[in-house]
């Protein structure tokens, strides 16, 4: 009983075979078929190799959504060198609500602004010369609202209506807001990302000079195979102007960075082709090449057969006509 059941099962499986086998005695091998097979296998190998590189590659997917996080603080990373002594300048942030942000996270380091070509290459300070500049570096935590980070003459003093800078003790002729921005970024610092203002250097042609940077910050959630962090990318426009109080100009000499935060957040996700999709594409390549080359080979063979048959029929007719003429010539009476 078990043997009968097993035989029926095998018979049923054989009847379901969608790939019938042709005996080798019925298969004819030709040079053209071998050439087409060789071309097909070569194409399959090349395309499969290229498809493997596509499978290994990754791409970035960008999505936009409303940033609902307003309670957290925004970190500002700063590294700026100004061509004035540290005791003459002050840096702080004033946001849109006229709230002064404490600048305890900033450090003032005396340095030399002018660098030789070798020092510029390696960014090495020469301690043997007089240190006539100030490097302001560190980070600040501000509210997620528009604000103004500025560096101007005198140390800042807070008061109920905002803040002021004590600039009366600094000679006006010593104003020099030439500066070099080594780094300026917002959010968590991520190695390898270069911000738009990194490496910027501006030289002031006049003591009464104002440098303005208008910055638009876009919150960015970065999720890759190597880095997963919340950062803030930004775009910037620049403007410079000379302040002439005698001509009625208004403003204060210094460096002013006015920033605004976008309400939209960008989610950047690194994606990779799944294995099942790679296998499907690979099967499509193999099956497509087999089908296409088979059809092309059959079409070319059909055309060759048609041309050859017509040519052979023409030869046969020509020979038949010649033979009939010979027979008639021989049967003609003398």
């Amino acid at each position: 009983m078990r043997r009968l059941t097993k035989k029926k099962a095998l018979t049923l499986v054989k009847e379901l075979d969608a790939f019938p086998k042709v005996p080798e005695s019925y298969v004819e091998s030709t040079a053209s078929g071998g050439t087409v097979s060789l071309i097909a296998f070569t194409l399959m190998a090349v395309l499969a190799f290229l498809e493997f590189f596509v499978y290994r590659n990754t791409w970035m997917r960008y999505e936009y959504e409303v940033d609902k996080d307003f309670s957290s603080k925004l970190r500002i990373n700063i590294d700026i060198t100004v061509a004035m002594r540290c005791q003459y300048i002050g840096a702080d942030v004033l946001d849109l609500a006229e709230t002064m942000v404490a600048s305890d996270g900033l450090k003032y380091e005396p340095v030399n602004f002018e660098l030789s070509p070798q020092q510029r290459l390696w960014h090495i300070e020469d301690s043997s010369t007089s240190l006539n500049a100030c490097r302001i570096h560190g980070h600040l935590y501000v509210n997620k609202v528009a604000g103004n980070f500025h560096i101007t003459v005198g140390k800042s003093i807070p008061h109920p209506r905002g803040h002021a800078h004590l600039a009366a003790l600094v000679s006006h002729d010593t104003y020099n807001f030439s500066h070099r921005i080594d780094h300026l970024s917002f959010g968590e610092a991520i190695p390898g990302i270069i911000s738009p203002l990194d490496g910027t250097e501006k030289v002031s042609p006049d003591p009464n000079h104002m440098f303005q940077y208008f910055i638009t910050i876009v919150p960015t959630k970065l999720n890759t195979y190597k880095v997963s962090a919340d950062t803030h990318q930004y775009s910037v426009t620049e403007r410079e102007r000379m302040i002439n109080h005698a001509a009625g100009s208004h403003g204060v000499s210094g460096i002013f960075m006015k920033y605004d935060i976008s309400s939209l957040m960008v989610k950047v996700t690194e994606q990779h082709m799944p294995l099942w999709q790679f296998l499907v594409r690979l099967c499509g390549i193999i099956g497509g090449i087999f089908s296409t080359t088979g059809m092309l080979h059959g079409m070319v063979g059909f055309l060759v057969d048609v041309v050859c048959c017509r040519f052979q029929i023409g030869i046969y007719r020509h020979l038949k006509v010649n033979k009939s003429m010979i027979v008639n010539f021989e049967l003609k009476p003398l």
Side-chain angles (χ1 to χ4, degrees), residues 42-61:
T42 304
L43 286 176
M44 281 189 288
V46 172
L47 293 179
F49 185 71
L50 296 177
E51 190 66 25
F52 177 73
F53 280 98
V54 174
Y55 170 71
R56 290 186 57 189
N57 194 17
T58 60
W59 63 91
M60 296 297 178
R61 180 182 178 184

Side-chain angles (χ1 to χ4, degrees), residues 80-84 113-114 120 176-182 196-206 209-213 236-241 254-257:
I80 301 176
T81 302
V82 185
M84 290 184 66
F113 187 76
E114 296 294 335
R120 284 183 178 274
N176 185 3
F177 284 98
S178 300
H179 60 280
R180 181 171 53 249
I181 303 176
D182 294 318
L197 287 176
D198 290 359
T200 301
E201 184 173 287
K202 298 290 183 180
V203 177
S204 175
D206 188 86
H209 210 76
M210 176 188 289
F211 296 93
Q212 291 180 308
Y213 298 93
V236 60
T237 56
E238 306 175 16
R239 187 176 70 175
E240 302 179 22
R241 67 188 183 97
I255 305 167
F256 296 86
M257 298 182 178

Side-chain angles (χ1 to χ4, degrees), residues 131-287:
L131 304 178
N132 56 0
C134 183
R135 179 191 175 198
I136 304 174
H137 60 97
H139 58 270
L140 298 171
Y141 289 94
V142 300
N143 298 319
K144 277 192 170 183
V145 294
N148 182 6
F149 170 75
H150 52 272
I151 303 174
T152 187
V153 179
K155 300 299 181 181
S156 61
I157 299 177
H159 60 82
R161 292 189 178 182
H163 76 294
H165 289 262
L166 290 177
L169 301 178
V170 183
S171 175
H172 191 272
D173 296 333
T174 60
Y175 288 10
N176 185 3
F177 284 98
S178 300
H179 60 280
R180 181 171 53 249
I181 303 176
D182 294 318
H183 181 69
L184 179 69
S185 63
F186 299 86
E188 184 178 347
I190 300 177
I193 294 182
I194 300 176
S195 300
L197 287 176
D198 290 359
T200 301
E201 184 173 287
K202 298 290 183 180
V203 177
S204 175
D206 188 86
N208 297 321
H209 210 76
M210 176 188 289
F211 296 93
Q212 291 180 308
Y213 298 93
F214 301 93
I215 299 173
T216 301
I217 306 171
V218 180
T220 306
K221 186 180 290 294
L222 192 62
N223 185 15
T224 66
Y225 293 100
K226 296 181 179 180
V227 179
S228 180
D230 295 336
T231 182
H232 293 73
Q233 303 300 310
Y234 66 90
S235 59
V236 60
T237 56
E238 306 175 16
R239 187 176 70 175
E240 302 179 22
R241 67 188 183 97
M242 187 178 67
I243 302 171
N244 189 351
H245 297 287
S249 300
H250 297 282
V252 180
S253 301
I255 305 167
F256 296 86
M257 298 182 178
K258 299 180 180 181
Y259 60 88
D260 193 8
I261 303 176
S262 174
S263 59
L264 291 178
M265 180 177 65
V266 181
K267 294 179 65 177
V268 183
T269 307
E270 186 178 9
Q271 293 187 333
H272 184 275
M273 181 187 295
L275 179 60
W276 65 268
Q277 188 175 356
F278 169 69
L279 295 177
V280 169
R281 291 168 65 98
L282 204 61
C283 292
I285 290 173
I286 296 174

Side-chain angles (χ1 to χ4, degrees), residues 25 66 115 139 142 168 180 318:
S25 57
V66 178
L115 300 176
H139 58 270
V142 300
R180 181 171 53 249
H318 181 69

Side-chain angles (χ1 to χ4, degrees), residues 328-334:
N328 292 334
F329 176 77
E330 292 179 351
L331 294 176
K332 188 176 180 181
L334 296 175

Side-chain angles (χ1 to χ4, degrees), residues 23-98:
E24 293 184 0
S25 57
Y26 297 156
V27 178
E28 181 182 0
S29 299
T30 61
S32 61
T35 304
V36 173
S37 300
L38 184 61
I39 295 174
F41 289 138
T42 304
L43 286 176
M44 281 189 288
V46 172
L47 293 179
F49 185 71
L50 296 177
E51 190 66 25
F52 177 73
F53 280 98
V54 174
Y55 170 71
R56 290 186 57 189
N57 194 17
T58 60
W59 63 91
M60 296 297 178
R61 180 182 178 184
Y62 297 87
E63 298 176 319
Y64 299 89
E65 61 182 34
V66 178
D67 186 14
K68 302 178 182 178
D69 185 13
F70 298 103
S71 58
S72 62
K73 298 289 185 178
L74 175 64
R75 173 170 169 161
I76 305 179
N77 308 297
I78 303 164
D79 192 351
I80 301 176
T81 302
V82 185
M84 290 184 66
R85 297 184 183 275
C86 293
Q87 62 266 27
Y88 297 154
I89 58 177
D92 51 60
V93 178
L94 192 66
D95 61 18
L96 189 63
E98 297 295 328

